[in-house]
Amino acid sequence: MNVIVLCFLVLLQVVMPCVGQTFENVTKLYDDLFSSYRNNITPLNNQSEPFEITLAFYLLSINSFREVEETLVLTGGLAIVWKDTSLSWNPVEYGNINSLDVDSKDVWLPWFYLQNNAKKFEPVGFDSAFRVNINSSGFVNYSPGSILEAKCQTDISKFPFDTQPCLLEFLAWGGGATFYKLISFFEEVNLDFYTKDSNWEVVTRKTYAQIEPEGYYKFHMSLSLKRKPMYYIIMIVLPTMLLSFLNPLVFLLPVESGERISLSMTILLSYAIFLTLVSASIPASSNPMCFLLIVMIIIMLISGLTKNKTKGRYSYGL
Ligand SMILES: *[C@@H]1O[C@H](CO)[C@@H](O)[C@H](O)[C@H]1NC(C)=O
Ligand SMILES: *[C@@H]1O[C@H](CO)[C@@H](O)[C@H](O)[C@H]1NC(C)=O
Ligand SMILES: *[C@@H]1O[C@H](CO)[C@@H](O)[C@H](O)[C@H]1NC(C)=O
């Protein structure tokens, strides 16, 4: 028994210094890298060579789409990779450490702004803490995420069968933008961490970086979202059709019965009430107007006309 404990202790003595050494290695590496590093100077060695930054967009969820304010609210993250030559090391000198995680405040970061922002104009992930990963060749991987509110023009004319396109444009606003050469890592928005939405379906999701006529690069993310229409079909489209079928049935009643006025009045009134109920869920935008709303107004108009017509006949019958 004692022999086993002794063996264990000996083993522990052998193992412990190893763990300690690895930690020492990391600490030494950190000290060597950052003792003279300045995190507010762009790591640009040669001004005439483009500074390449690779970007990708991860969509996590679609939070809401506000038709009236024309804004799309989503949670997403950028994955940004660039090379910082002063942050490379030889892994053999540090016990084969290939990568190092540090606080993003320690290193220089490129700041990307959402250009068509509808909320706060600040770099993506500016107010949250993220860690960066550096590998021994000096590549820094920074993945800031945020809840983004983007301004997108909406077209609700086909509501509830509409598809809304939205383009999110990211750029390094201000200093530095002209040196950067942006590269899109994927051709599509990454959905690995996406939580499905019950109101919207993602139809297209492209990402690309392109040079603008002004001479700097922009990273684009083009989304188009298709509305899931079932709720609106049951709540709005079906009752509208039903009431519009009821309207001409007024003429089936004999002229003498006198029930025509009361039936057409009832249809008109129920329609007016239905319209006030429904208008709350139809997006109130007039550019362009919702087709469904126009149909409903026309049906109401026809309903009013048939009422007049029956009244005329009725008085004539008298
Ligand atoms: C900077 O880059 C240009 C173009 O690649 C090259 O011709 C020049 O020699 C470089 N200068 C230095 C100091 O490395
Ligand atoms: C780093 O770790 C290795 C063993 O993995 C050790 O030989 C070396 O001395 C360590 N270096 C430092 C600076 O601690
Ligand atoms: C560091 O990361 C870059 C970009 O992801 C990759 O191309 C390179 O091979 C990596 N280097 C090492 C030593 O892992």
Side-chain angles (χ1 to χ4, degrees):
M1 189 66 193
N2 274 342
V3 177
I4 293 174
V5 172
L6 201 71
C7 276
F8 183 71
L9 282 178
V10 170
L11 207 72
L12 209 66
Q13 284 293 318
V14 174
V15 172
M16 283 302 276
C18 269
V19 175
Q21 255 177 6
T22 315
F23 181 72
E24 268 171 33
N25 269 324
V26 174
T27 317
K28 185 171 184 302
L29 173 60
Y30 184 86
D31 289 344
D32 288 353
L33 286 180
F34 292 102
S35 57
S36 64
Y37 184 83
R38 301 279 187 88
N39 66 359
N40 43 19
I41 295 172
T42 313
L44 199 65
N45 279 341
N46 185 343
Q47 299 274 342
S48 50
E49 276 182 355
F51 184 66
E52 289 187 355
I53 300 180
T54 308
L55 291 137
F57 192 89
Y58 286 80
L59 181 65
L60 307 192
S61 66
I62 289 157
N63 302 343
S64 67
F65 189 86
R66 305 194 200 116
E67 294 90 350
V68 182
E69 294 164 36
E70 305 198 310
T71 53
L72 169 67
V73 184
L74 53 85
T75 310
L78 285 171
I80 313 173
V81 177
W82 68 94
K83 189 172 180 169
D84 193 331
T85 39
S86 51
L87 294 179
S88 55
W89 67 89
N90 183 1
V92 179
E93 286 173 31
Y94 299 93
N96 289 323
I97 298 172
N98 270 317
S99 74
L100 184 68
D101 273 348
V102 296
D103 194 318
S104 62
K105 287 192 188 72
D106 289 343
V107 298
W108 173 87
L109 301 171
W111 281 348
F112 284 95
Y113 294 78
L114 175 62
Q115 185 189 313
N116 49 336
N117 203 316
K119 199 177 156 201
K120 234 181 185 180
F121 201 60
E122 61 179 24
V124 176
F126 189 67
D127 50 1
S128 319
F130 295 97
R131 293 187 69 82
V132 300
N133 180 272
I134 311 167
N135 78 10
S136 55
S137 334
F139 282 93
V140 186
N141 190 333
Y142 172 54
S143 308
S146 183
I147 293 173
L148 302 168
E149 287 189 21
K151 194 87 183 155
C152 313
Q153 201 176 11
T154 58
D155 177 355
I156 51 141
S157 58
K158 291 185 191 132
F159 175 88
F161 305 101
D162 52 340
T163 301
Q164 301 291 350
C166 191
L167 183 67
L168 276 74
E169 297 174 286
F170 295 93
L171 84 165
W173 186 265
T178 46
F179 310 129
Y180 303 158
K181 181 183 180 204
L182 306 185
I183 299 160
S184 178
F185 189 71
F186 300 120
E187 285 186 353
E188 285 190 323
V189 172
N190 190 300
L191 296 185
D192 285 355
F193 305 99
Y194 180 63
T195 309
K196 279 211 167 74
D197 192 77
S198 48
N199 297 319
W200 296 96
E201 185 190 333
V202 179
V203 190
T204 57
R205 47 184 175 108
K206 287 200 210 82
T207 56
Y208 52 94
Q210 79 182 27
I211 189 158
E212 298 296 305
E214 293 83 10
Y216 52 83
Y217 276 88
K218 258 191 210 170
F219 179 67
H220 295 257
M221 171 196 150
S222 149
L223 265 188
S224 76
L225 304 174
K226 190 175 188 307
R227 196 190 298 272
K228 295 185 180 166
M230 197 42 101
Y231 171 80
Y232 300 100
I233 291 177
I234 291 168
M235 289 300 290
I236 303 176
V237 180
L238 285 184
T240 307
M241 283 168 69
L242 196 74
L243 284 172
S244 70
F245 283 136
L246 267 183
N247 241 336
L249 294 185
V250 168
F251 292 108
L252 285 184
L253 288 174
V255 182
E256 303 78 31
S257 81
E259 290 296 323
R260 272 193 178 188
I261 287 191
S262 50
L263 178 60
S264 54
M265 259 322 252
T266 315
I267 294 176
L268 183 67
L269 280 180
S270 57
Y271 212 77
I273 292 168
F274 181 66
L275 199 65
T276 48
L277 283 178
V278 153
S279 63
S281 51
I282 291 184
S285 168
S286 59
N287 185 29
M289 191 100 169
C290 175
F291 180 68
L292 185 65
L293 208 62
I294 297 175
V295 169
M296 289 169 83
I297 302 284
I298 291 175
I299 292 173
M300 209 161 127
L301 215 72
I302 294 173
S303 182
L305 286 180
T306 48
K307 192 193 125 238
N308 266 343
K309 183 77 180 160
T310 42
K311 195 179 174 193
R313 287 270 204 92
Y314 184 64
S315 29
Y316 185 76
L318 261 177

